[in-house]
């Protein structure tokens, strides 16, 4: 002791070895224990009133105990030792631990009864330096404690406690304090309590040093409030807790300490890393929990109920790190023993694993029942450092709701019921975002039916993705989507992706890009006359398949569509991009240049597509091959000789020849073509049936050298003329050089080469 004044008045009676004493007043003032400059314990005044001691009854009764302005400095050093451990030095000759030195005659314990005990204007400073670089430092001030009917034997009392708590700031002062109070009954052994708790703006960041070893984030600020009742009882089988009331967590500010700094260092240099090392990760103005109930019972799963939840003015930072992980996946620190390389370590053999019987039983899963959740004033800032150059986008004005949901099914054997979700917001300042559907965040396994719509998203900011996947930047364009994702409890996913791109325009190929796809041609093939591309991309798969990933599947489908601009342009042009059967040629019968019914049908479809896409041009390459078409060419020539030449139009066409006229034409062709004609016994040319004359004509017919170029050109010309009759602009249809060595000689055709003007 470095100070203290005591005063005492007493009335003592001694009779037959028993003592009865009455102390009307006892005062101990201005006490300080510890160092003079900074005592560990001190108080202004301690008063006891009407203390009565009765050794016969082994009882001490105190009417009133008052302690004024007590102060305590509770400290723990870097080695983990509390300051009071230095006070309790062993005394030479003291009895060994566990030996009884005082025994009451009848084994009856002494009883201390205090009618009223009051502590006023107390203060406690707690410092814990054992936490490394972030010591804990909090102060409880204005501590008020009043206990009534304190019984040392029963261990019971009525207690009323209030205090203000503040944390030490980086500048060495104390922050704005929050308040806490408790009013209820207390039993010490076993510990039981029942009362009312009120907490207002308690600074949770004061306990941030305890979270530092486990989290890669810094809790800058968070104020907790609660108003409700609590019941706690320590039972032989375990603790019981009943908590009920209203809770709030306000002014939350969480900063990242690892993820964004690593990303910035890898992509933008060390200066950016230092700037982003304390970048905001989470913020919100208020999280309100109405009707909060927490129930803990021995050997039973915890039960948490929330009648309703409101989240206002919230912010979240979502980052894709250079290695492809989300920053939110790095919130927890992963502790690994030093010198142990877990990357290449093999899994232990089954024989090395502990028997299942010795494993500790798994804790029962908590039951959580959530009432409706409402969101207002949300902002999400997204950055992708996996893509180079980096991409950043903002979602603002987020608001929505989620109906009540539970982690428990409504009936045994069923999945937990889904809740209705609605969410609206603005993407990149202009695009409208709307999400609705059914989901249960607590359902295991995942099950949902959610639809998301985006209207009018500017595409030029997505240039980093375009460069990576197609090798071109985006000059301009708008994007809208309507997607629906359904996940069954068995993990089966069914997704419909309706994507609409308006006035999508790509830049020139980017030098050094990972790939370069014919996106300009693909856009021209897919866009309608108004410059709109409308794609429907269905997806299905199982989420239980570790190889199945939604985003890569979508990008693969889009990449395949773009590649078809080269491999199957006609299928893109006619909207059949889901088929691998490309119709990029018009087939002809061997040796003929006339269009059959199937060719005309295909050209009608092509003309319709061309008329809706004025930015396209078409080059026709006629093909012919004498190695496979000689017989067909001869038959076509013979038919023309018999039927007469065709007119340019139906109006100029001569009347169809009769059978007699056709036979006369056949005989004339026979005389002109067949030199070695069969003769009779008199040496005169024999009259042959029509079939034999046709066979001899075909045998002796000479194919001129120009037959195949002329046939190929005629085919291309006929295709061009037919397209013009269907309204295609002549300035967009070109005749290419005829080919007399077709790549596919088995199918005579005209190739359709599509390009962009």
């Amino acid at each position: 002791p470095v100070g203290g004044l005591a005063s005492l008045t007493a009335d003592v009676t001694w009779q037959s070895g028993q003592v009865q004493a009455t102390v009307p007043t006892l005062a101990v003032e201005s006490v300080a224990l510890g160092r003079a400059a900074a005592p560990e314990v001190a108080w202004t005044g301690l008063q006891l009133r009407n203390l009565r001691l009765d050794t016969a009854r082994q009882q001490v009764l105190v009417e009133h105990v008052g302690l004024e302005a007590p102060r305590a400095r509770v400290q723990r050093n870097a080695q983990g030792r509390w300051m009071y451990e230095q006070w309790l030095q062993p005394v030479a000759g003291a009895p060994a631990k566990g030996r009884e030195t005082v025994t009451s005659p009848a084994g009856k314990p002494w009883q201390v009864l205090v009618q009223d005990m009051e502590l006023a204007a107390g203060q406690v400073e707690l410092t814990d330096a054992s936490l490394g670089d972030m010591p804990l430092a909090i102060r409880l001030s204005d501590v008020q404690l009043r206990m009534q009917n304190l019984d040392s034997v029963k261990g019971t009392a009525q207690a009323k406690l209030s205090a203000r708590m503040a944390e030490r700031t980086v500048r060495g002062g104390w922050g704005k304090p929050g308040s806490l109070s408790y009013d209820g009954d207390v039993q010490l052994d076993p510990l039981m309590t029942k009362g009312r708790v009120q907490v207002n703006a308690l600074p949770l960041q004061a306990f941030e040093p305890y979270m530092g070893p486990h989290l890669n984030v810094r809790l800058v600020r968070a104020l907790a409030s609660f108003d409700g009742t609590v019941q706690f009882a320590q039972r032989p089988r375990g603790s019981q807790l009943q908590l009920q009331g209203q809770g709030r967590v306000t002014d939350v500010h969480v900063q990242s300490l690892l993820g964004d700094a690593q990303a910035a260092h890898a992509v933008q240099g060390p200066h950016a890393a230092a700037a982003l090392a304390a970048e905001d990760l989470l913020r919100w103005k208020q999280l309100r929990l109405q009707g909060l109930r927490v129930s803990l019972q021995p050997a039973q799963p915890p039960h948490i109920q929330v009648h309703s939840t409101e989240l206002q003015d919230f912010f979240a930072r979502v980052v894709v790190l250079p290695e492809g992980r989300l920053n939110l996946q790095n919130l927890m620190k992963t502790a690994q023993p030093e010198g142990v390389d877990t990357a290449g370590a093999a899994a232990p053999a089954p024989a090395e694993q502990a028997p299942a019987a010795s494993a500790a039983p798994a804790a029962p899963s908590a039951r959580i029942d959530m009432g409706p959740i409402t969101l207002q004033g949300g902002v999400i800032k997204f950055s992708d450092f996996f893509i180079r150059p980096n991409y950043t986008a903002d979602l603002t004005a987020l608001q929505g709701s989620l109906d009540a949901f539970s982690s428990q099914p409504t009936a045994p054997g069923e999945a937990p019921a889904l809740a209705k979700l609605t969410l609206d917001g603005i993407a990149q300042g202009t695009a409208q975002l709307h999400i609705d559907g059914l989901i249960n965040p607590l359902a295991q396994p995942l099950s949902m039916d959610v639809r998301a719509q985006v209207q009018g998203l500017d595409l030029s900011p997505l240039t980093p993705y375009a460069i990576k996947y197609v090798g071109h930047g985006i000059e301009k364009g708008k994007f809208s989507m309507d997607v629906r994702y359904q996940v069954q409890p068995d993990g089966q996913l069914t997704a419909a992706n309706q994507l609409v791109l308006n006035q999508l325009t790509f830049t020139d190929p980017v030098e050094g890009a990972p790939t370069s796809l014919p996106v300009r041609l693909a856009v021209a093939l897919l866009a309608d006359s108004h410059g709109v591309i409308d794609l429907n991309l269905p997806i299905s798969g199982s989420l239980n398949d570790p190889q199945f990933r939604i985003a890569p599947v979508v990008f693969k489908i889009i990449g395949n569509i773009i590649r078809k601009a080269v491999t199957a342009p006609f299928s893109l042009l006619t909207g059949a991009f889901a088929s691998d059967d490309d119709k990029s040629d018009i087939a002809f019968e061997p040796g003929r240049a006339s269009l059959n019914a199937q060719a005309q049908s295909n050209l009608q479809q092509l003309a319709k597509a061309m008329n809706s896409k004025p930015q396209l041009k078409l080059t026709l390459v006629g093909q012919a091959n004498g190695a496979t078409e000689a017989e067909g060419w001869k038959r076509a020539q013979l038919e023309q000789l018999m039927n007469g030449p065709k007119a340019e139009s139906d109006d100029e066409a001569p009347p169809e020849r009769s059978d007699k006229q056709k036979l006369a034409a056949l005989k004339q062709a026979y005389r002109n073509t067949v030199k070695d004609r069969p003769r009779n016994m008199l040496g005169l040319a024999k009259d042959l049936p029509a079939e034999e004359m046709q066979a001899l004509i075909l045998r002796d017919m000479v194919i001129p050298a120009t037959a195949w170029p002329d046939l190929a050109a005629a085919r291309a010309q006929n295709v061009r003329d037919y397209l013009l009759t269907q309204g295609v602009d002549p300035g967009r249809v070109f005749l290419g050089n005829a080919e007399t060595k077709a790549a596919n000689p088995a199918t005579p055709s005209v190739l359709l080469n599509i390009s962009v003007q």
Side-chain angles (χ1 to χ4, degrees):
V2 297
L5 299 174
S7 61
L8 169 69
T9 60
D11 183 6
V12 180
T13 302
W14 183 288
Q15 184 177 1
S16 301
Q18 302 294 330
V19 177
Q20 290 185 345
T22 300
V23 181
T25 60
L26 171 62
V28 181
E29 300 178 349
S30 303
V31 171
L33 302 177
R35 293 172 297 175
E40 276 76 13
V41 178
W43 65 75
T44 301
L46 170 63
Q47 301 89 26
L48 279 75
R49 188 170 63 244
N50 294 331
L51 182 151
R52 294 189 295 276
L53 171 67
D54 189 339
T55 58
R57 302 177 63 181
Q58 296 180 241
Q59 190 176 72
V60 178
L61 286 79
V62 183
E63 179 181 325
H64 175 79
V65 177
L67 183 61
E68 296 181 4
R71 301 188 307 278
R73 297 175 65 247
V74 182
Q75 297 177 330
R76 190 182 188 188
N77 61 22
Q79 290 73 38
R81 292 176 56 86
W82 295 97
M83 82 292 184
Y84 61 80
E85 296 182 46
Q86 303 175 11
W87 304 349
L88 305 177
Q89 299 295 336
V91 179
K97 183 178 181 181
R99 290 184 57 187
E100 295 289 343
T101 58
V102 178
T103 305
S104 59
K108 176 183 177 182
W110 277 78
Q111 182 181 34
V112 178
L113 299 174
V114 180
Q115 295 183 11
D116 181 69
M117 183 174 69
E118 186 172 2
L119 181 153
Q123 178 175 298
V124 179
E125 291 186 13
L126 172 62
T127 303
D128 188 349
S130 66
L131 302 174
D133 297 335
M134 302 177 62
L136 175 74
I138 62 175
R139 181 175 71 177
L140 295 176
S141 61
D142 195 20
V143 179
Q144 309 288 335
L145 172 63
R146 185 169 186 179
M147 302 183 71
Q148 295 179 312
N149 302 319
L150 175 63
D151 188 331
S152 65
V153 174
K154 296 180 179 179
T156 59
Q158 293 90 45
K160 187 173 184 180
L161 170 69
S162 65
R164 298 167 66 83
M165 193 193 86
E167 85 282 8
R168 188 179 295 278
T169 66
V170 293
R171 297 182 178 180
W174 297 100
K176 184 178 180 180
S179 64
L180 57 93
S181 66
Y182 177 76
D183 187 355
D185 298 330
V186 177
Q187 176 178 299
L188 299 180
D189 190 14
L191 180 61
M192 298 176 63
T193 184
K194 178 181 179 181
R196 185 173 188 85
V197 177
Q198 290 181 304
V199 177
N200 184 39
L202 197 69
L204 296 182
Q205 66 271 15
F207 304 97
E208 200 269 341
Y210 288 111
M211 297 181 284
H214 309 287
L215 299 176
N216 288 320
V217 298
R218 174 177 174 237
L219 181 60
V220 179
R221 183 175 175 84
L223 305 180
S225 301
F226 179 79
D227 186 356
T229 59
V230 61
Q231 297 183 50
F232 178 83
Q234 186 67 46
R235 303 295 187 187
R237 297 181 57 191
S239 300
Q240 293 180 340
L241 173 67
Q242 296 287 336
L243 185 68
Q244 180 176 347
Q246 321 299 324
R248 297 193 318 276
V249 182
T250 59
D251 295 340
V252 171
H253 186 184
V254 179
Q255 292 181 332
S256 64
L257 296 180
L258 180 61
D260 289 357
Q262 288 183 333
H265 183 81
V267 178
Q268 300 172 345
H271 298 293
L276 288 176
E279 186 177 24
D280 291 349
L281 180 66
L282 293 171
R283 293 197 313 266
W284 68 70
K285 181 178 180 180
Q286 178 171 256
L287 173 63
R288 183 187 296 271
L289 304 176
Q290 300 285 353
L292 173 63
R293 298 173 64 93
V294 178
S295 176
L296 300 178
Q297 299 291 338
Q300 294 185 17
H303 189 187
I304 301 174
Q305 296 173 279
V306 181
H307 183 266
S308 64
T309 304
E310 298 177 10
L311 180 60
Q312 299 177 357
D313 298 336
F314 61 94
F315 167 86
R317 180 78 165 108
V318 180
V319 177
V320 180
L321 301 173
E323 62 269 24
R325 287 171 53 88
L326 283 175
N327 61 334
L328 300 180
Q329 295 177 272
N330 291 344
L331 296 185
M332 300 293 296
K333 291 183 178 179
T334 56
Q336 297 182 358
E338 295 184 2
V340 177
D341 182 10
T342 60
E352 299 176 355
Q353 297 178 357
S358 64
S365 301
R367 172 173 180 172
I368 302 176
D369 297 321
M370 297 294 299
I373 299 175
T374 59
L375 309 174
Q376 293 182 354
V379 175
I380 297 178
K381 185 177 181 181
F382 172 80
S383 292
D384 191 343
F385 292 147
F386 183 73
I387 291 289
R388 299 190 182 187
N390 307 150
Y391 170 72
T392 298
D394 293 335
L395 296 176
T396 58
L398 292 173
Q399 59 181 5
S401 64
L402 179 63
D403 287 352
F405 59 94
S406 173
S407 62
Q408 298 297 313
T410 54
E414 296 183 0
L418 303 182
K420 181 175 177 56
L421 167 70
T422 59
L423 181 65
D424 293 282
I426 298 176
Q428 287 295 79
T430 57
Q432 298 295 320
L433 169 68
H434 176 72
I435 300 175
D436 63 63
L438 300 173
I439 192 172
N440 186 335
L442 301 177
Q444 293 294 336
L446 175 66
S447 177
M448 69 175 182
D449 183 354
V450 174
R451 180 182 182 185
Q453 296 171 295
V454 173
Q455 297 291 331
L457 179 69
D458 281 307
L459 288 173
S460 55
L462 295 173
T463 286
Y465 293 101
I467 294 174
K468 177 177 177 62
Y469 292 106
V470 300
H472 295 254
I474 300 178
E475 182 177 322
K476 67 175 182 178
K478 293 281 188 179
F479 170 75
S480 299
M481 75 173 186
D482 187 345
V483 300
R484 182 179 181 184
Y485 282 72
Q486 295 175 290
V487 179
Q488 303 299 327
D490 61 359
Q492 189 63 33
L493 165 72
T494 303
N497 300 272
Q498 192 75 28
L499 310 179
V500 178
L501 302 101
N502 191 4
Q503 305 301 318
L504 176 59
T505 305
F506 285 95
T507 66
D508 293 332
V510 177
E511 185 177 356
T515 185
S516 183
L517 299 180
V519 290
R520 289 180 171 176
L521 178 58
V523 169
L525 293 171
L526 294 170
D528 61 16
S529 58
H530 302 289
V532 176
I533 300 175
D534 194 339
L535 301 177
N536 185 10
L537 310 178
I539 297 175
S540 62
S542 175
L543 298 182
N544 297 326
D545 182 358
Q547 303 300 322
F548 179 75
R549 296 291 185 272
I550 296 175
V553 169
V554 173
F555 280 120
K556 183 178 180 181
I557 293 176
I558 295 176
N560 289 340
I561 292 174
I562 297 175
R563 289 184 180 91
K564 281 194 174 183
V566 172
T567 61
F570 188 82
S571 61
L572 282 183
L573 182 63
T574 56
F577 54 82
S579 172
D580 292 330
D581 184 18
D582 185 53
K583 302 297 184 182
S584 57
D585 58 2
I586 301 298
F588 288 82
E589 296 177 10
R592 302 176 186 273
S594 59
L595 299 170
N596 58 27
Q598 183 61 52
Q600 292 180 14
S601 176
N602 291 342
L603 289 175
Q604 290 172 7
Q605 189 178 13
L606 175 60
K608 182 179 179 180
M610 290 287 293
N611 290 333
S612 66
K613 306 177 191 300
Q615 67 273 37
L616 293 178
K617 61 182 180 180
L618 187 64
T619 300
L620 308 176
V621 179
Q623 291 183 324
N625 194 310
T628 58
E629 296 191 72
E631 184 68 20
W633 184 88
K634 290 180 180 181
R635 289 188 178 278
Q637 297 301 314
L638 179 57
E639 291 177 5
Q640 185 175 354
L641 291 174
M642 295 175 60
N643 297 328
K646 292 186 177 181
E648 295 294 330
S649 65
D650 294 339
D651 296 338
E652 302 174 357
E656 184 178 354
R657 288 181 175 182
S658 63
D659 292 342
K660 184 177 180 180
Q661 291 173 322
K662 291 181 180 179
L663 180 59
L666 176 63
K667 290 181 178 181
Q668 182 63 42
Y670 177 73
R671 290 190 292 269
N672 295 337
T673 305
V674 179
K675 304 302 182 183
D676 186 13
R677 297 188 292 274
R679 297 181 180 275
N680 57 20
M681 296 179 60
L682 300 177
L684 300 175
K686 296 173 59 176
D687 289 333
L688 300 176
E691 292 78 5
E692 294 184 20
M693 287 190 291
Q694 290 180 12
L696 292 173
I697 292 173
L698 295 175
R699 184 196 66 184
D700 294 348
M701 186 181 293
V702 178
I703 302 176
T706 60
W708 307 121
D710 291 345
L711 178 59
R715 286 170 171 170
Q717 184 66 47
N718 288 343
V719 170
R720 179 181 185 276
D721 293 344
Y722 193 87
L723 289 174
L724 299 186
T725 64
Q726 300 298 312
V728 178
D729 182 3
R732 299 169 55 206
V733 183
F734 302 87
L735 297 177
N737 291 328
E739 296 180 355
T740 57
K741 292 183 179 180
N744 184 13
T747 307
S749 61
V750 170
L751 297 182
L752 308 175
N753 293 332
I754 303 172
S755 57
V756 182
Q757 292 190 16

